[in-house]
Amino acid sequence: MKPWFKMSASLVAACSALLAGCDSDSSGPSVSTEPPADTGSAVTLPTPDLPFDIVDTGQVDCYDDAASIGCPAAGEDFYGQDAQYAGNAPSYTDNGDGTVTDNVSGLMWQQRPDRDGDGDIDATDKVTYDEAVAGASTLSLGGYDDWRLPTIKELYSLIDFSGIDPSGFEGTDTSGLTPFIDTSYFDFAYGDTNAGERIIDAQYASSNLYVANTANDGGRTLFGVNFADGRIKGYGLTLFNREKTFFVIYVRGNTSYGENDFVDNGDGTVTDNATGLMWAQNDSDIGLDWREALAWVQARNAESYLGYTDWRLPNAKELQGIVDYSRSPDTSNSAAIDARFNTTYIVDEAGASDFPMYWSNTTHANYTDRPGTYAVYVAFGRAMGYMNSAWVDVHGAGAQRSDPKSGDPADYPAGHGPQGDAIRIHNFVRMVRDETGPGD
Protein backbone atom coordinates (compact mmCIF):
# COMPACT_ATOMS: atom_id res chain seq x y z
CA MET A 1 0.00 0.00 0.00
CA LYS A 2 1.32 3.40 -0.90
CA PRO A 3 2.01 5.74 2.03
CA TRP A 4 -0.63 8.27 3.02
CA PHE A 5 -1.15 10.67 5.87
CA LYS A 6 -3.57 9.82 8.70
CA MET A 7 -2.98 12.42 11.36
CA SER A 8 -6.35 13.18 12.92
CA ALA A 9 -6.76 12.15 16.54
CA SER A 10 -10.19 10.84 15.61
CA LEU A 11 -8.77 8.22 13.24
CA VAL A 12 -7.55 4.76 14.05
CA ALA A 13 -3.95 3.88 13.27
CA ALA A 14 -3.14 2.80 9.72
CA CYS A 15 -3.92 -0.86 9.29
CA SER A 16 -1.16 -2.83 7.59
CA ALA A 17 -3.66 -5.49 6.54
CA LEU A 18 -5.22 -3.16 3.95
CA LEU A 19 -4.46 -4.38 0.46
CA ALA A 20 -2.96 -2.26 -2.30
CA GLY A 21 -3.82 -2.37 -5.94
CA CYS A 22 -7.52 -1.51 -5.69
CA ASP A 23 -9.48 -1.23 -8.93
CA SER A 24 -8.63 2.18 -10.36
CA ASP A 25 -11.86 2.43 -12.39
CA SER A 26 -13.51 5.54 -10.95
CA SER A 27 -16.71 5.40 -13.00
CA GLY A 28 -19.36 5.76 -10.36
CA PRO A 29 -17.70 5.65 -6.92
CA SER A 30 -20.05 5.88 -3.99
CA VAL A 31 -20.05 8.72 -1.49
CA SER A 32 -19.75 7.65 2.10
CA THR A 33 -22.46 9.36 4.09
CA GLU A 34 -21.73 8.00 7.54
CA PRO A 35 -19.51 10.06 9.87
CA PRO A 36 -16.97 8.07 11.90
CA ALA A 37 -18.50 9.49 15.04
CA ASP A 38 -21.38 11.83 15.69
CA THR A 39 -21.54 13.39 19.08
CA GLY A 40 -25.02 14.69 18.35
CA SER A 41 -24.07 18.20 19.37
CA ALA A 42 -23.79 20.98 16.82
CA VAL A 43 -20.50 22.79 16.37
CA THR A 44 -20.81 26.57 16.49
CA LEU A 45 -18.70 27.98 13.70
CA PRO A 46 -16.56 30.99 14.57
CA THR A 47 -17.55 34.35 13.13
CA PRO A 48 -14.52 35.76 11.29
CA ASP A 49 -13.51 39.36 11.89
CA LEU A 50 -14.02 39.99 8.17
CA PRO A 51 -16.11 37.97 5.73
CA PHE A 52 -13.02 37.10 3.67
CA ASP A 53 -10.31 36.89 6.34
CA ILE A 54 -7.37 35.50 4.39
CA VAL A 55 -5.58 32.64 6.11
CA ASP A 56 -1.80 33.10 6.15
CA THR A 57 0.41 30.94 3.94
CA GLY A 58 2.29 29.33 6.84
CA GLN A 59 5.69 30.17 5.32
CA VAL A 60 8.22 30.85 8.08
CA ASP A 61 11.57 30.60 6.27
CA CYS A 62 13.27 33.27 4.16
CA TYR A 63 15.01 32.51 0.87
CA ASP A 64 17.24 34.13 -1.70
CA ASP A 65 17.06 32.86 -5.28
CA ALA A 66 18.63 29.52 -4.35
CA ALA A 67 18.56 28.61 -0.68
CA SER A 68 17.07 29.27 2.72
CA ILE A 69 18.69 32.30 4.37
CA GLY A 70 18.39 34.35 7.51
CA CYS A 71 15.64 36.89 6.98
CA PRO A 72 17.18 40.07 5.50
CA ALA A 73 16.94 43.53 7.03
CA ALA A 74 15.35 46.53 5.37
CA GLY A 75 17.59 47.77 2.57
CA GLU A 76 19.11 44.34 1.95
CA ASP A 77 18.42 42.12 -1.05
CA PHE A 78 15.31 39.96 -0.73
CA TYR A 79 13.79 42.03 2.06
CA GLY A 80 9.99 42.06 2.17
CA GLN A 81 9.25 38.40 1.56
CA ASP A 82 6.43 36.29 2.95
CA ALA A 83 8.03 35.05 6.18
CA GLN A 84 8.66 38.65 7.27
CA TYR A 85 4.98 39.51 7.59
CA ALA A 86 2.54 38.07 10.12
CA GLY A 87 -0.91 37.32 8.77
CA ASN A 88 -3.85 35.40 10.15
CA ALA A 89 -2.03 32.30 11.38
CA PRO A 90 -3.77 29.07 10.35
CA SER A 91 -5.90 27.69 13.19
CA TYR A 92 -7.96 24.51 12.99
CA THR A 93 -10.13 22.46 15.31
CA ASP A 94 -10.61 18.74 14.80
CA ASN A 95 -14.26 18.25 15.73
CA GLY A 96 -13.81 14.51 16.24
CA ASP A 97 -16.61 13.63 13.82
CA GLY A 98 -14.86 13.66 10.47
CA THR A 99 -14.98 17.45 10.19
CA VAL A 100 -12.45 20.22 10.76
CA THR A 101 -13.26 23.84 11.57
CA ASP A 102 -11.06 26.62 10.22
CA ASN A 103 -11.09 29.17 13.03
CA VAL A 104 -9.90 31.97 10.73
CA SER A 105 -12.22 31.61 7.75
CA GLY A 106 -15.25 30.29 9.64
CA LEU A 107 -15.48 27.34 7.24
CA MET A 108 -16.06 23.72 8.24
CA TRP A 109 -14.39 21.05 6.13
CA GLN A 110 -14.75 17.38 5.47
CA GLN A 111 -11.59 15.90 6.92
CA ARG A 112 -10.76 13.17 4.44
CA PRO A 113 -11.27 12.52 0.71
CA ASP A 114 -11.92 8.80 1.32
CA ARG A 115 -15.00 8.64 -0.92
CA ASP A 116 -15.43 4.86 -0.90
CA GLY A 117 -15.04 4.62 2.87
CA ASP A 118 -12.45 1.82 2.79
CA GLY A 119 -10.03 3.64 5.12
CA ASP A 120 -7.49 4.22 2.36
CA ILE A 121 -6.97 7.20 0.04
CA ASP A 122 -6.15 6.16 -3.51
CA ALA A 123 -7.25 6.50 -7.11
CA THR A 124 -10.60 4.82 -6.46
CA ASP A 125 -11.56 7.76 -4.23
CA LYS A 126 -11.38 10.23 -7.09
CA VAL A 127 -14.50 11.37 -8.90
CA THR A 128 -15.37 13.31 -12.03
CA TYR A 129 -16.40 16.94 -11.80
CA ASP A 130 -20.07 16.11 -12.36
CA GLU A 131 -19.91 13.44 -9.65
CA ALA A 132 -18.23 15.93 -7.32
CA VAL A 133 -21.04 18.44 -7.85
CA ALA A 134 -23.74 15.82 -7.31
CA GLY A 135 -22.04 14.34 -4.25
CA ALA A 136 -22.52 17.44 -2.13
CA SER A 137 -26.29 16.98 -1.96
CA THR A 138 -25.99 13.38 -0.74
CA LEU A 139 -23.37 13.92 1.94
CA SER A 140 -24.46 13.82 5.56
CA LEU A 141 -21.52 14.26 7.89
CA GLY A 142 -21.20 15.43 11.48
CA GLY A 143 -24.95 15.89 11.62
CA TYR A 144 -24.99 18.37 8.72
CA ASP A 145 -26.44 18.11 5.24
CA ASP A 146 -25.65 21.59 3.86
CA TRP A 147 -22.30 20.66 2.35
CA ARG A 148 -21.13 22.17 -0.93
CA LEU A 149 -18.26 21.77 -3.37
CA PRO A 150 -15.80 24.54 -2.43
CA THR A 151 -15.02 27.46 -4.68
CA ILE A 152 -11.42 27.79 -5.77
CA LYS A 153 -10.86 30.57 -3.22
CA GLU A 154 -12.33 28.48 -0.41
CA LEU A 155 -10.21 25.48 -1.41
CA TYR A 156 -7.06 27.60 -1.73
CA SER A 157 -7.57 28.87 1.83
CA LEU A 158 -6.23 25.47 2.95
CA ILE A 159 -2.93 25.65 1.07
CA ASP A 160 0.11 25.68 3.34
CA PHE A 161 3.38 26.94 1.89
CA SER A 162 5.49 25.06 4.38
CA GLY A 163 5.01 22.31 1.79
CA ILE A 164 7.78 21.12 -0.50
CA ASP A 165 7.22 20.72 -4.24
CA PRO A 166 8.19 17.15 -5.28
CA SER A 167 7.97 17.84 -9.04
CA GLY A 168 10.69 15.82 -10.72
CA PHE A 169 11.07 13.47 -7.76
CA GLU A 170 11.66 10.01 -9.24
CA GLY A 171 11.25 7.87 -6.14
CA THR A 172 8.11 6.16 -4.88
CA ASP A 173 8.59 6.57 -1.13
CA THR A 174 6.67 9.71 -0.18
CA SER A 175 7.25 9.43 3.57
CA GLY A 176 9.91 12.16 3.47
CA LEU A 177 7.83 14.61 1.45
CA THR A 178 5.75 17.48 2.85
CA PRO A 179 2.42 18.27 1.16
CA PHE A 180 0.82 21.71 0.92
CA ILE A 181 -1.96 20.98 3.43
CA ASP A 182 -1.84 20.60 7.21
CA THR A 183 -1.79 16.84 7.75
CA SER A 184 -2.21 17.31 11.49
CA TYR A 185 -5.87 17.95 10.66
CA PHE A 186 -6.54 16.78 7.11
CA ASP A 187 -5.93 13.31 5.69
CA PHE A 188 -3.94 13.34 2.48
CA ALA A 189 -2.31 10.99 0.00
CA TYR A 190 -0.02 11.59 -2.93
CA GLY A 191 -0.87 10.13 -6.33
CA ASP A 192 -1.59 6.41 -6.47
CA THR A 193 1.46 4.97 -8.19
CA ASN A 194 -0.07 1.49 -7.93
CA ALA A 195 -2.77 2.71 -10.32
CA GLY A 196 -0.28 4.32 -12.71
CA GLU A 197 -0.55 7.84 -11.31
CA ARG A 198 2.31 10.21 -10.66
CA ILE A 199 3.19 11.23 -7.11
CA ILE A 200 1.97 14.75 -7.89
CA ASP A 201 -1.49 13.56 -8.96
CA ALA A 202 -3.30 14.91 -5.90
CA GLN A 203 -5.57 17.44 -7.58
CA TYR A 204 -8.65 18.53 -5.63
CA ALA A 205 -11.76 19.77 -7.41
CA SER A 206 -13.33 23.16 -6.89
CA SER A 207 -16.69 24.39 -8.16
CA ASN A 208 -15.05 26.88 -10.56
CA LEU A 209 -15.08 26.09 -14.24
CA TYR A 210 -12.86 28.32 -16.37
CA VAL A 211 -14.98 30.84 -18.28
CA ALA A 212 -12.81 30.26 -21.36
CA ASN A 213 -11.11 27.08 -22.58
CA THR A 214 -7.66 25.60 -22.31
CA ALA A 215 -5.85 23.41 -24.81
CA ASN A 216 -7.38 19.96 -25.31
CA ASP A 217 -9.85 20.44 -22.45
CA GLY A 218 -12.69 18.50 -24.08
CA GLY A 219 -14.94 21.53 -23.80
CA ARG A 220 -14.59 22.37 -20.10
CA THR A 221 -11.70 23.28 -17.79
CA LEU A 222 -11.95 23.02 -14.01
CA PHE A 223 -9.79 24.98 -11.59
CA GLY A 224 -8.34 22.75 -8.90
CA VAL A 225 -5.75 22.90 -6.15
CA ASN A 226 -2.92 20.38 -6.15
CA PHE A 227 -1.92 19.87 -2.53
CA ALA A 228 0.99 17.64 -3.60
CA ASP A 229 2.87 20.30 -5.60
CA GLY A 230 1.29 23.55 -4.34
CA ARG A 231 -0.40 24.95 -7.45
CA ILE A 232 -3.74 26.01 -8.90
CA LYS A 233 -4.22 24.86 -12.46
CA GLY A 234 -7.03 24.59 -14.92
CA TYR A 235 -7.61 20.92 -15.71
CA GLY A 236 -9.41 19.78 -18.84
CA LEU A 237 -12.26 17.49 -17.87
CA THR A 238 -11.15 14.85 -20.32
CA LEU A 239 -7.74 13.19 -20.25
CA PHE A 240 -6.63 10.53 -22.74
CA ASN A 241 -10.24 10.25 -23.94
CA ARG A 242 -11.49 9.56 -20.42
CA GLU A 243 -13.06 11.83 -17.86
CA LYS A 244 -10.44 13.22 -15.49
CA THR A 245 -11.02 12.51 -11.81
CA PHE A 246 -10.21 14.47 -8.68
CA PHE A 247 -10.08 14.19 -4.93
CA VAL A 248 -12.95 16.01 -3.22
CA ILE A 249 -13.54 17.45 0.23
CA TYR A 250 -16.74 19.37 0.86
CA VAL A 251 -17.22 22.56 2.85
CA ARG A 252 -19.98 24.38 4.71
CA GLY A 253 -20.44 27.71 6.51
CA ASN A 254 -19.40 31.31 5.70
CA THR A 255 -20.84 31.62 2.21
CA SER A 256 -19.21 35.06 1.94
CA TYR A 257 -15.67 33.66 1.94
CA GLY A 258 -13.91 34.59 -1.30
CA GLU A 259 -16.33 37.36 -2.24
CA ASN A 260 -14.57 40.70 -2.65
CA ASP A 261 -16.04 44.08 -1.74
CA PHE A 262 -13.92 46.58 -3.66
CA VAL A 263 -14.09 50.35 -3.30
CA ASP A 264 -12.21 52.74 -5.58
CA ASN A 265 -10.84 55.31 -3.14
CA GLY A 266 -10.23 57.85 -5.89
CA ASP A 267 -6.58 58.30 -4.93
CA GLY A 268 -4.90 55.50 -6.86
CA THR A 269 -5.85 52.83 -4.31
CA VAL A 270 -8.59 50.20 -4.13
CA THR A 271 -9.79 48.87 -0.78
CA ASP A 272 -11.30 45.42 -0.36
CA ASN A 273 -13.63 45.75 2.60
CA ALA A 274 -14.05 41.98 2.68
CA THR A 275 -10.37 41.35 3.44
CA GLY A 276 -9.25 44.63 5.01
CA LEU A 277 -6.54 45.04 2.37
CA MET A 278 -5.72 48.13 0.31
CA TRP A 279 -4.28 47.63 -3.17
CA ALA A 280 -2.42 49.86 -5.57
CA GLN A 281 -4.72 50.53 -8.50
CA ASN A 282 -1.85 50.50 -10.99
CA ASP A 283 0.72 47.78 -11.43
CA SER A 284 4.48 48.13 -11.94
CA ASP A 285 4.07 48.61 -15.72
CA ILE A 286 7.25 46.59 -16.18
CA GLY A 287 8.38 43.01 -15.67
CA LEU A 288 10.94 42.35 -12.93
CA ASP A 289 12.70 39.33 -11.53
CA TRP A 290 11.85 38.43 -7.94
CA ARG A 291 14.74 40.27 -6.29
CA GLU A 292 13.94 43.36 -8.36
CA ALA A 293 10.24 43.09 -7.53
CA LEU A 294 10.91 43.09 -3.79
CA ALA A 295 13.29 46.04 -4.21
CA TRP A 296 10.79 47.92 -6.41
CA VAL A 297 8.24 47.82 -3.58
CA GLN A 298 10.76 49.14 -1.06
CA ALA A 299 11.63 51.98 -3.43
CA ARG A 300 7.96 52.94 -3.56
CA ASN A 301 7.88 52.95 0.25
CA ALA A 302 10.92 55.22 0.34
CA GLU A 303 9.07 57.75 -1.79
CA SER A 304 5.80 57.41 0.21
CA TYR A 305 3.90 56.14 -2.80
CA LEU A 306 0.32 57.48 -2.67
CA GLY A 307 1.06 58.68 0.86
CA TYR A 308 1.96 55.29 2.37
CA THR A 309 5.24 53.71 3.43
CA ASP A 310 4.10 50.18 4.26
CA TRP A 311 3.42 48.66 0.86
CA ARG A 312 4.46 45.06 0.34
CA LEU A 313 4.49 42.41 -2.34
CA PRO A 314 1.39 40.31 -1.56
CA ASN A 315 1.69 36.75 -0.41
CA ALA A 316 0.28 33.98 -2.59
CA LYS A 317 -3.12 33.87 -0.88
CA GLU A 318 -3.59 37.63 -0.83
CA LEU A 319 -2.78 37.80 -4.54
CA GLN A 320 -5.06 34.92 -5.50
CA GLY A 321 -7.76 36.55 -3.39
CA ILE A 322 -8.23 39.36 -5.94
CA VAL A 323 -8.61 37.11 -8.97
CA ASP A 324 -11.99 37.52 -10.63
CA TYR A 325 -12.75 34.06 -12.03
CA SER A 326 -15.68 35.42 -14.05
CA ARG A 327 -13.28 37.29 -16.35
CA SER A 328 -10.59 36.27 -18.84
CA PRO A 329 -8.83 37.66 -21.91
CA ASP A 330 -10.93 35.49 -24.23
CA THR A 331 -14.36 36.22 -22.71
CA SER A 332 -14.21 39.74 -21.29
CA ASN A 333 -11.16 41.03 -23.17
CA SER A 334 -9.66 41.82 -19.78
CA ALA A 335 -7.42 40.48 -17.10
CA ALA A 336 -9.03 38.22 -14.50
CA ILE A 337 -9.43 41.09 -12.06
CA ASP A 338 -12.08 43.65 -11.15
CA ALA A 339 -12.39 46.55 -13.58
CA ARG A 340 -11.48 49.01 -10.81
CA PHE A 341 -7.86 47.91 -11.27
CA ASN A 342 -5.61 49.06 -14.09
CA THR A 343 -3.68 46.25 -15.71
CA THR A 344 -0.82 46.58 -18.19
CA TYR A 345 -1.26 44.93 -21.58
CA ILE A 346 1.48 42.59 -22.76
CA VAL A 347 2.08 40.46 -25.83
CA ASP A 348 2.24 36.80 -24.85
CA GLU A 349 4.33 33.95 -26.27
CA ALA A 350 1.74 33.33 -29.02
CA GLY A 351 1.93 36.95 -30.15
CA ALA A 352 -1.53 37.79 -28.77
CA SER A 353 -2.59 40.73 -26.63
CA ASP A 354 -2.64 39.48 -23.06
CA PHE A 355 -2.09 40.38 -19.41
CA PRO A 356 0.79 39.68 -17.00
CA MET A 357 1.62 37.19 -14.36
CA TYR A 358 2.17 38.84 -10.98
CA TRP A 359 4.76 37.94 -8.37
CA SER A 360 3.86 37.07 -4.81
CA ASN A 361 6.41 37.33 -1.99
CA THR A 362 5.98 33.58 -1.33
CA THR A 363 8.75 31.12 -2.22
CA HIS A 364 7.64 27.86 -3.84
CA ALA A 365 10.13 25.62 -2.06
CA ASN A 366 11.22 22.40 -3.76
CA TYR A 367 12.91 19.16 -2.72
CA THR A 368 16.25 19.79 -4.50
CA ASP A 369 19.47 21.22 -3.09
CA ARG A 370 18.29 24.64 -4.36
CA PRO A 371 14.96 24.90 -2.54
CA GLY A 372 14.63 28.65 -3.00
CA THR A 373 14.87 28.74 -6.80
CA TYR A 374 11.18 29.41 -7.51
CA ALA A 375 8.61 31.93 -6.30
CA VAL A 376 4.85 31.82 -6.61
CA TYR A 377 3.03 33.90 -9.21
CA VAL A 378 -0.62 34.21 -10.21
CA ALA A 379 -1.63 34.50 -13.87
CA PHE A 380 -4.15 37.28 -14.47
CA GLY A 381 -3.91 36.60 -18.19
CA ARG A 382 -3.61 33.32 -20.04
CA ALA A 383 -1.41 30.74 -18.30
CA MET A 384 0.56 29.84 -21.40
CA GLY A 385 2.27 26.59 -22.25
CA TYR A 386 3.99 25.07 -25.28
CA MET A 387 2.10 22.00 -26.46
CA ASN A 388 2.03 20.28 -29.83
CA SER A 389 4.53 22.84 -31.17
CA ALA A 390 2.32 25.82 -30.34
CA TRP A 391 1.85 28.30 -27.51
CA VAL A 392 -1.62 27.98 -25.97
CA ASP A 393 -3.46 28.73 -22.75
CA VAL A 394 -2.89 25.51 -20.79
CA HIS A 395 -4.04 26.40 -17.26
CA GLY A 396 -6.28 29.45 -17.48
CA ALA A 397 -6.37 33.00 -16.18
CA GLY A 398 -6.38 32.62 -12.40
CA ALA A 399 -3.84 29.79 -12.29
CA GLN A 400 -1.12 29.86 -9.64
CA ARG A 401 2.22 28.49 -10.76
CA SER A 402 5.85 29.44 -10.07
CA ASP A 403 8.81 30.86 -11.96
CA PRO A 404 12.54 30.88 -11.36
CA LYS A 405 13.39 33.98 -9.34
CA SER A 406 16.27 34.84 -11.65
CA GLY A 407 17.70 33.83 -14.99
CA ASP A 408 17.06 34.28 -18.69
CA PRO A 409 13.63 33.37 -20.15
CA ALA A 410 15.38 32.60 -23.43
CA ASP A 411 16.76 29.49 -21.76
CA TYR A 412 13.22 28.05 -21.87
CA PRO A 413 12.15 28.32 -25.53
CA ALA A 414 9.60 25.54 -25.13
CA GLY A 415 8.61 26.29 -21.55
CA HIS A 416 9.04 23.85 -18.68
CA GLY A 417 7.25 20.76 -17.42
CA PRO A 418 4.75 18.38 -19.02
CA GLN A 419 2.53 21.21 -20.31
CA GLY A 420 5.47 23.39 -21.33
CA ASP A 421 4.59 26.10 -18.82
CA ALA A 422 5.81 29.48 -20.04
CA ILE A 423 8.81 30.71 -18.04
CA ARG A 424 8.88 34.50 -17.97
CA ILE A 425 10.97 35.28 -14.85
CA HIS A 426 10.22 38.99 -15.35
CA ASN A 427 6.74 39.25 -13.86
CA PHE A 428 4.76 42.28 -12.74
CA VAL A 429 3.98 43.73 -9.30
CA ARG A 430 0.66 44.69 -7.71
CA MET A 431 1.35 46.15 -4.26
CA VAL A 432 -0.80 45.69 -1.17
CA ARG A 433 -0.95 47.02 2.38
CA ASP A 434 -3.19 46.59 5.38
CA GLU A 435 -6.06 49.05 5.38
CA THR A 436 -5.05 50.23 8.84
CA GLY A 437 -1.31 50.78 9.09
CA PRO A 438 1.46 53.30 9.82
CA GLY A 439 0.52 55.40 6.81
CA ASP A 440 -3.07 55.97 7.93
Side-chain angles (χ1 to χ4, degrees):
M1 184 177 69
K2 70 182 170 51
W4 67 296
F5 293 85
K6 303 183 75 167
M7 298 294 186
S8 168
S10 66
L11 299 178
V12 297
C15 176
S16 60
L18 289 174
L19 298 177
C22 295
D23 182 6
S24 61
D25 181 8
S26 59
S27 57
S30 61
V31 176
S32 176
T33 60
E34 293 298 322
D38 188 351
T39 62
S41 58
V43 174
T44 301
L45 291 175
T47 301
D49 294 333
L50 293 164
F52 186 10
D53 250 348
I54 294 178
V55 185
D56 193 49
T57 65
Q59 189 157 100
V60 297
D61 294 326
C62 289
Y63 298 85
D64 58 17
D65 55 3
S68 176
I69 59 173
C71 287
E76 294 181 340
D77 283 345
F78 302 105
Y79 175 76
Q81 56 184 283
D82 192 341
Q84 299 187 278
Y85 297 97
N88 297 310
S91 173
Y92 301 108
T93 298
D94 182 342
N95 298 315
D97 59 0
T99 70
V100 175
T101 296
D102 184 332
N103 300 308
V104 176
S105 68
L107 296 170
M108 179 185 286
W109 291 92
Q110 185 178 16
Q111 190 168 40
R112 60 187 67 87
D114 181 14
R115 303 253 63 76
D116 58 14
D118 67 353
D120 193 10
I121 300 174
D122 53 27
T124 63
D125 293 304
K126 294 181 176 180
V127 298
T128 68
Y129 167 70
D130 292 327
E131 290 167 338
V133 172
S137 64
T138 64
L139 178 64
S140 177
L141 179 65
Y144 305 99
D145 60 6
D146 58 345
W147 298 95
R148 63 183 182 270
L149 189 63
T151 67
I152 191 63
K153 290 186 180 180
E154 289 172 332
L155 191 58
Y156 196 66
S157 72
L158 297 179
I159 201 163
D160 183 340
F161 279 96
S162 63
I164 304 296
D165 180 12
S167 298
F169 179 72
E170 296 182 354
T172 57
D173 181 4
T174 60
S175 60
L177 301 178
T178 305
F180 289 78
I181 191 168
D182 190 339
T183 55
S184 297
Y185 293 93
F186 295 93
D187 295 346
F188 171 84
Y190 286 95
D192 187 351
T193 55
N194 291 326
E197 293 186 334
R198 304 167 299 171
I199 282 175
I200 62 171
D201 285 328
Q203 300 93 352
Y204 283 60
S206 81
S207 61
N208 286 82
L209 291 171
Y210 187 29
V211 293
N213 292 100
T214 58
N216 304 316
D217 70 356
R220 294 187 298 174
T221 290
L222 173 68
F223 283 109
V225 176
N226 190 328
F227 290 111
D229 69 8
R231 292 174 172 87
I232 294 174
K233 290 184 177 180
Y235 299 99
L237 293 187
T238 60
L239 181 67
F240 305 127
N241 297 315
R242 297 181 60 183
E243 289 188 274
K244 182 171 174 57
T245 57
F246 304 86
F247 286 132
V248 174
I249 53 174
Y250 294 107
V251 70
R252 59 179 299 274
N254 193 5
T255 55
S256 296
Y257 193 88
E259 296 183 2
N260 303 104
D261 181 12
F262 292 121
V263 175
D264 183 342
N265 298 314
D267 60 357
T269 68
V270 175
T271 293
D272 185 354
N273 289 322
T275 62
L277 296 174
M278 177 187 285
W279 293 87
Q281 196 164 35
N282 293 332
D283 60 27
S284 57
D285 197 40
I286 188 172
L288 305 162
D289 70 22
W290 197 63
R291 182 202 311 248
E292 292 168 340
L294 291 166
W296 189 87
V297 174
Q298 297 312 311
R300 304 290 81 73
N301 283 331
E303 66 186 33
S304 297
Y305 181 73
L306 301 177
Y308 301 102
T309 60
D310 56 350
W311 295 102
R312 63 180 183 272
L313 202 59
N315 70 35
K317 289 185 173 180
E318 292 169 336
L319 186 57
Q320 189 265 349
I322 60 169
V323 174
D324 185 341
Y325 285 94
S326 72
R327 298 164 68 87
S328 79
D330 292 322
T331 58
S332 57
N333 194 32
S334 71
I337 195 170
D338 189 275
R340 295 173 181 86
F341 292 91
N342 300 321
T343 306
T344 300
Y345 281 90
I346 64 168
V347 176
D348 66 24
E349 289 79 4
S353 178
D354 207 340
F355 302 93
M357 300 166 179
Y358 288 79
W359 281 124
S360 77
N361 66 0
T362 305
T363 292
H364 196 201
N366 66 77
Y367 78 97
T368 71
D369 59 1
R370 292 176 58 87
T373 300
Y374 293 86
V376 170
Y377 69 76
V378 174
F380 285 80
R382 301 177 187 93
M384 301 294 287
Y386 192 74
M387 296 184 67
N388 300 320
S389 302
W391 286 102
V392 291
D393 185 359
V394 292
H395 292 131
Q400 175 257 294
R401 305 190 302 196
S402 58
D403 253 357
K405 296 175 179 177
S406 60
D408 185 353
D411 292 338
Y412 304 88
H416 178 72
Q419 287 86 37
D421 292 3
I423 301 296
R424 293 183 182 166
I425 299 174
H426 301 107
N427 295 315
F428 284 57
V429 173
R430 172 88 60 192
M431 296 189 298
V432 71
R433 59 180 298 276
D434 295 325
E435 172 65 28
T436 302
D440 292 304

